[in-house]
Amino acid sequence: GENVEQHPSTLSVQEGDSAVIKCTYSDSASNYFPWYKQELGKRPQLIIDIRSNVGEKKDQRIAVTLNKTAKHFSLHITETQPEDSAVYFCAATKGAGSYQLTFGKGTKLSVIP
Amino acid sequence: GAVVSQHPSRVICKSGTSVKIECRSLDFQATTMFWYRQFPKQSLMLMATSNEGSKATYEQGVEKDKFLINHASLTLSTLTVTSAHPEDSSFYICTLPRGRSNYGYTFGSGTRLTVV
């Protein structure tokens, strides 16, 4: 089955700096890669996603890049703010035609004012 | 977009009792729903796939007799934790995939289960 590795597990950055979180996946048939932000005790919130036919997608301060050959995708947050502090999860569909999501282990991002 | 209502949001129960968690799709036909479990400071782990009108598919290591799933209609899937034990204390969350025409998933609000 699909295996999603996420690094780092914790990340501290100064306010205004950039943060990068990386994920790798094992199933070459995976075709959808969302990123979620989860605050304590709440449901995950989708912040950005990318499909396998796209290499990069950007939404204001957030961007995601996908390298299908290497089977890795990354989340980039620029100009970080204290409210960006949360746990971020990457995920990948289990394979073509499947809607099951396999999640990475999460990255706890702390933005220091 | 799709809206999923999950209840209860928090529940405390005694060991040995059963707890039912409901996920209701308010505006989308939920032929499939996924149930995840999240232990503190850990990731979301898929427990089972709930299929409307048929048996659920369980992930390896998840006891189907302990975690009963019923998906009798296109709007409601339920997860019943039977004979709950303290180690079942976790955050349970349902997810509704929105299908080929619109990749994306709608999450329920989650249920914090504490077994004492």
Side-chain angles (χ1 to χ4, degrees):
Chain A
E2 175 72 283
N3 183 41
V4 177
E5 299 284 339
Q6 182 172 348
H7 300 281
S9 57
T10 60
L11 178 61
S12 292
V13 299
Q14 291 289 334
E15 181 178 359
D17 287 350
S18 296
V20 180
I21 303 171
K22 299 181 179 181
C23 285
T24 60
Y25 60 98
S26 60
D27 191 341
S28 57
S30 294
N31 55 8
Y32 176 68
F33 308 90
W35 284 90
Y36 293 93
K37 176 183 180 182
Q38 188 180 30
E39 297 177 345
L40 193 63
K42 297 186 177 180
R43 79 185 89 185
Q45 297 283 348
L46 178 70
I47 55 171
I48 197 166
D49 57 9
I50 192 167
R51 299 189 195 186
S52 58
N53 58 349
V54 176
E56 184 174 356
K57 183 177 178 181
K58 189 174 182 180
D59 182 5
Q60 297 182 0
R61 298 187 296 110
I62 296 173
V64 56
T65 58
L66 171 65
N67 183 326
K68 283 193 66 179
T69 303
K71 289 189 282 188
H72 68 70
F73 55 113
S74 300
L75 176 71
H76 304 252
I77 305 175
T78 58
E79 300 173 29
T80 54
Q81 301 166 4
E83 50 265 37
D84 294 330
S85 297
V87 179
Y88 291 80
F89 292 98
C90 63
T93 48
K94 203 171 182 180
S98 170
Y99 299 108
Q100 290 181 3
L101 281 177
T102 299
F103 287 84
K105 292 189 183 300
T107 297
K108 183 176 181 180
L109 174 64
S110 300
V111 180
I112 304 165
Chain B
V3 178
V4 174
S5 175
Q6 182 172 347
H7 294 282
S9 57
R10 306 180 76 91
V11 59
I12 300 173
C13 70
K14 292 183 178 180
S15 289
T17 60
S18 295
V19 173
K20 180 186 282 188
I21 302 169
E22 292 188 351
C23 268
R24 195 174 297 274
S25 175
L26 301 183
D27 58 355
F28 191 83
Q29 288 190 335
T31 54
T32 298
M33 200 169 282
F34 300 116
W35 286 93
Y36 287 85
R37 177 169 55 184
Q38 185 178 32
F39 291 110
K41 297 184 179 181
Q42 294 190 24
S43 188
L44 291 89
M45 298 300 294
L46 181 66
M47 297 176 66
T49 302
S50 170
N51 302 300
E52 186 268 332
S54 64
K55 291 183 178 180
T57 305
Y58 291 81
E59 295 300 300
Q60 193 173 9
V62 178
E63 300 174 57
K64 63 180 181 180
D65 295 329
K66 180 172 181 61
F67 299 98
L68 301 178
I69 290 174
N70 185 284
H71 195 152
S73 76
L74 288 172
T75 60
L76 178 64
S77 175
T78 62
L79 168 67
T80 301
V81 183
T82 63
S83 187
H85 289 103
E87 55 265 33
D88 297 325
S89 299
S90 186
F91 187 63
Y92 294 86
I93 191 164
C94 60
T95 304
L96 171 65
R98 297 201 295 274
R100 290 191 175 90
S101 63
N102 179 15
Y103 269 95
Y105 300 77
T106 300
F107 284 82
S109 54
T111 297
R112 172 72 59 192
L113 171 63
T114 303
V115 184
V116 297

